[in-house]
């Protein structure tokens, strides 16, 4: 058992370092272009949400609107990571894990921007994703198949079992409904939406995401506001604890292998999925013709998911029950909200988790089906996939959550490696497309080419 735990810790450390280094490299390479466009991206997202509330069409004959794609991609990330995942990161890594989640978000913006841009650039008939640009990057489909198989597996793990497990547990705690029944209800509702294809999934996400996100943020704000005077002290604790090595050799190695780093980075990726390659599959269906403009929607997704939602959850926990209660996961988050809502907290979190889980389930089914089609799965293959996917949702509530999370971490690592390698190989395209919409940062590609022998030699 100790060997297995050590192997899992090593994998998570490598995963965290891979994402951090890759995100850092792309951030510097793009000269912080995605980060500079953060507020522009957020304005577009909220404008899209307002337009959808006024009845604006969410899809066209060619595809879906950019907001619908962004809402669907965000629906896939808003799930257990924002409730149970944040609590797990805090209990295993301490308050400092929040700092590393912020870092994963800032650096992850560059990765998510790049992968969405590449997906739209190489999409075919509104079908795209890492599978398509990985094959172009390496001139072979071998790594594309690796990603596709990993994505199908992840759709059952992080996109299905982990979500349903958390929702079923929360609903049982709040209303006493057996977990198996909750799983069955989720599966039935998801099946109805899935039969309508990607446009129905996108439309459902465009309605659900603003609603469930707004409800959750209001609830968190009601807990934080009476303690708002403690926020400066809390943020100071988060930063100072982030650089406390817990079982390492000191220095940078100590930071990289500390529990705070490992928990913060991996749980940060678990929530915003930057670098994993799931969001690009959704955005490929957008009717947006400019790859870079579509890529910027991913910047808003990362910010809203990790910098806003996860930070609010962490603040609720740390400002109320703290980390000495002996609780973990969703139970810890429930105890924190109970400090204000009392017995009503169970119902509030139960409904929030159910909505998050349902929307994540829909988005990941889209990803799984897209990669299955890429692998050549016909109508029979898609029918079998849907049957197995919905069957997994039924029984997801009774599977041990730690087992599910461990498998999810492994599949995340399996997906991200070929995706990150392809982004590196195609980074010139990302830079060139970025230059087309860059107005205040100068000609990124020309400036980089004038000082980079590698780019000059590859023109």
């Amino acid at each position: 058992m100790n060997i297995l735990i050590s192997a899992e810790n090593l994998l998570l450390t490598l995963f965290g370092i891979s994402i951090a280094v890759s995100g850092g490299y792309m951030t510097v390479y793009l000269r912080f272009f995605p980060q500079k466009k953060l507020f522009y991206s957020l304005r577009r997202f909220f404008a899209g949400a307002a337009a959808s509330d006024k009845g604006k069409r969410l899809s066209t004959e060619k595809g879906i609107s950019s907001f619908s794609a962004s809402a669907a991609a965000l629906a896939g990330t808003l799930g257990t990571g924002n409730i149970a995942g944040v609590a797990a990161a805090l209990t295993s890594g301490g308050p400092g894990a929040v700092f590393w989640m912020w870092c994963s978000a800032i650096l992850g913006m560059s990765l998510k921007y790049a992968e969405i841009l590449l997906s739209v650039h190489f999409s075919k008939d509104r079908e795209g994703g890492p599978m398509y640009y990985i094959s172009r990057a390496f001139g072979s489909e071998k790594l594309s198949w690796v990603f596709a198989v990993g994505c199908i597996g992840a759709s059952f793990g992080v996109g299905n079992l982990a979500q349903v497990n958390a929702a079923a547990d929360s609903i049982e705690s709040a209303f006493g409904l057996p977990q198996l029944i909750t799983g069955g209800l989720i599966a039935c509702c998801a099946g109805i939406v899935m039969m309508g294809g990607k446009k129905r999934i996108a439309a459902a996400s465009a309605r659900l995401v603003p609603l469930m996100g707004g409800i959750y943020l209001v609830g968190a704000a009601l807990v934080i506001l009476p303690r708002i005077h403690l926020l400066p002290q809390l943020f100071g604790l988060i930063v100072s604890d982030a650089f406390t090595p817990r079982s390492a050799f000191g220095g940078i190695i100590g930071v990289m292998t500390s529990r705070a780093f490992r928990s913060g980075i991996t749980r940060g990726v678990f929530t915003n999925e930057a670098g994993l390659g799931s969001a690009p599959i959704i955005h490929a269906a957008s009717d947006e013709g400019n790859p870079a403009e579509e890529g910027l929607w991913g910047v808003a997704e990362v910010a809203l998911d990790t910098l806003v939602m996860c930070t609010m959850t962490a603040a609720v926990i740390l400002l109320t029950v703290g980390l000495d209660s002996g609780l973990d996961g969703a139970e810890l988050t429930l105890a924190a909200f109970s400090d204000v809502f009392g017995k009503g907290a169970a119902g509030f979190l139960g409904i929030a988790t159910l909505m998050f889980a349902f929307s994540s389930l829909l988005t990941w089914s889209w990803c799984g089906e897209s990669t299955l089609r890429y692998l050549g799965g016909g109508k029979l293959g898609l029918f079998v996939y849907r049957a197995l996917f919905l069957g997994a949702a039924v029984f997801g509530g009774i599977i041990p959550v730690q087992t599910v999370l461990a498998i999810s971490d492994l599949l995340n690592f399996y997906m991200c490696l070929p995706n990150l390698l392809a982004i590196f190989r195609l980074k010139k395209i990302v830079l060139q497309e970025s230059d087309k919409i860059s107005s205040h940062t100068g000609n990124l590609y020309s400036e980089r080419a004038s000082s980079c022998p590698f780019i000059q030699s590859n023109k």
Side-chain angles (χ1 to χ4, degrees):
M1 181 62 70
N2 290 333
I3 295 177
L4 291 176
I5 294 175
S6 299
E8 182 184 3
N9 288 340
L10 176 61
L11 176 64
L12 292 178
T13 301
L14 291 175
F15 183 38
I17 292 175
S18 298
I19 292 293
V21 172
S22 302
Y25 177 84
M26 288 302 297
T27 297
V28 174
Y29 184 79
L30 295 173
R31 299 191 176 183
F32 296 87
F33 177 72
Q35 289 77 10
K36 292 176 181 177
K37 291 286 188 177
L38 172 59
F39 293 106
Y40 166 75
S41 302
L42 289 172
R43 284 198 303 271
R44 285 204 307 172
F45 183 89
F46 289 118
S52 68
D53 288 339
K54 294 178 181 178
K56 183 179 179 181
R57 291 186 65 186
L58 299 174
S59 63
T60 64
E61 292 183 1
K62 293 183 178 180
I64 60 177
S65 69
S66 291
F67 171 73
S68 296
S70 186
L74 191 57
T77 65
L78 295 177
T80 59
N82 299 92
I83 298 177
V86 172
L90 288 172
T91 53
S92 62
V98 179
F99 176 86
W100 294 111
M101 292 181 77
W102 294 340
C103 290
S104 79
I106 297 298
L107 302 180
M109 289 176 185
S110 298
L111 291 178
K112 201 159 192 180
Y113 165 75
E115 61 187 0
I116 292 174
L117 184 155
L118 291 171
S119 179
V120 175
H121 183 86
F122 289 105
S123 64
K124 298 178 181 178
D125 300 323
R126 299 301 187 275
E127 286 286 341
M131 310 82 71
Y132 294 87
Y133 61 75
I134 289 173
S135 61
R136 293 293 294 271
F138 296 99
S140 170
E141 292 189 344
K142 292 181 179 179
L143 283 179
S144 296
W145 279 58
V146 170
F147 172 86
V149 171
C151 185
I152 292 173
S155 72
F156 282 91
V158 65
N160 187 328
L161 296 175
Q163 308 297 333
V164 176
N165 190 289
D169 186 60
S170 296
I171 292 297
E172 184 179 45
S173 299
F175 306 107
L177 193 67
Q179 296 179 341
L180 199 61
I181 294 179
T182 300
L185 291 174
I186 293 175
C188 288
C189 294
I192 293 173
V193 178
M194 288 166 61
M195 285 191 294
K198 60 179 70 174
K199 288 189 177 181
R200 185 181 292 180
I201 293 175
S205 299
R207 298 282 189 261
L208 275 174
V209 166
L211 174 64
M212 66 187 187
I215 291 174
Y216 186 77
L217 288 178
V218 169
L222 291 176
V223 178
I224 295 172
L225 285 177
R227 304 164 175 80
I228 196 169
H229 61 286
L230 298 175
L231 285 181
Q233 182 180 349
L234 175 63
F235 290 138
L237 173 64
I238 289 172
V239 174
S240 62
D241 187 72
F243 297 94
T244 303
R246 302 193 174 206
S247 57
F249 304 102
I252 189 64
I253 299 299
V255 172
M256 290 294 186
T257 57
S258 71
R259 288 188 293 170
F261 173 86
R262 183 170 62 243
S263 300
I265 294 292
T266 54
R267 293 304 165 207
V269 173
F270 184 73
T271 61
N272 61 53
E273 296 173 14
L276 295 188
S278 56
I281 297 173
I282 308 299
H283 281 277
S286 168
D287 55 13
E288 171 64 62
N290 189 310
E293 287 285 357
E294 189 67 24
L296 288 175
W297 285 88
V299 176
E301 293 163 23
V302 174
L304 291 171
D305 180 271
T306 306
L307 295 182
V308 178
M309 299 289 282
C310 290
T311 300
M312 292 286 277
T313 300
V316 167
I317 293 172
L318 294 173
L319 289 174
T320 54
V321 296
L323 302 179
D324 297 325
S325 63
L327 300 174
D328 192 7
E331 291 183 352
L332 177 59
T333 309
L334 173 60
F337 276 98
S338 297
D339 193 72
V340 170
F341 294 108
K343 294 181 179 180
F348 169 76
L349 271 188
I351 293 174
T353 307
L354 181 64
M355 294 174 67
F356 287 157
F358 179 69
S359 61
S360 294
L361 200 76
L362 295 177
T363 298
W364 273 98
S365 71
W366 179 343
C367 294
E369 290 188 12
S370 294
T371 49
L372 183 61
R373 280 193 294 269
Y374 178 84
L375 294 174
K379 292 183 178 180
L380 178 60
L382 290 175
F383 175 81
V384 172
Y385 171 82
R386 287 186 180 182
L388 293 174
F389 189 83
L390 295 176
V394 173
F395 295 99
I398 58 177
I399 296 176
V401 66
Q402 292 303 324
T403 302
V404 172
L405 291 176
I407 295 174
S408 298
D409 288 332
L410 176 63
L411 290 169
N412 287 349
F413 190 58
Y414 189 74
M415 284 176 62
C416 84
L417 284 181
N419 187 43
L420 295 178
L421 290 173
I423 292 174
F424 286 153
R425 291 291 293 268
L426 300 171
K427 61 183 182 296
K428 268 202 305 182
I429 294 177
V430 179
L431 201 62
Q432 288 172 317
E433 291 290 346
S434 302
D435 184 52
K436 295 178 183 179
I437 62 170
S438 175
S439 59
H440 65 279
T441 56
N443 191 313
L444 294 178
Y445 182 74
S446 298
E447 290 179 12
R448 178 67 68 184
S450 65
S451 60
C452 182
F454 175 79
I455 293 181
Q456 291 177 342
S457 65
N458 284 276
K459 281 186 178 182

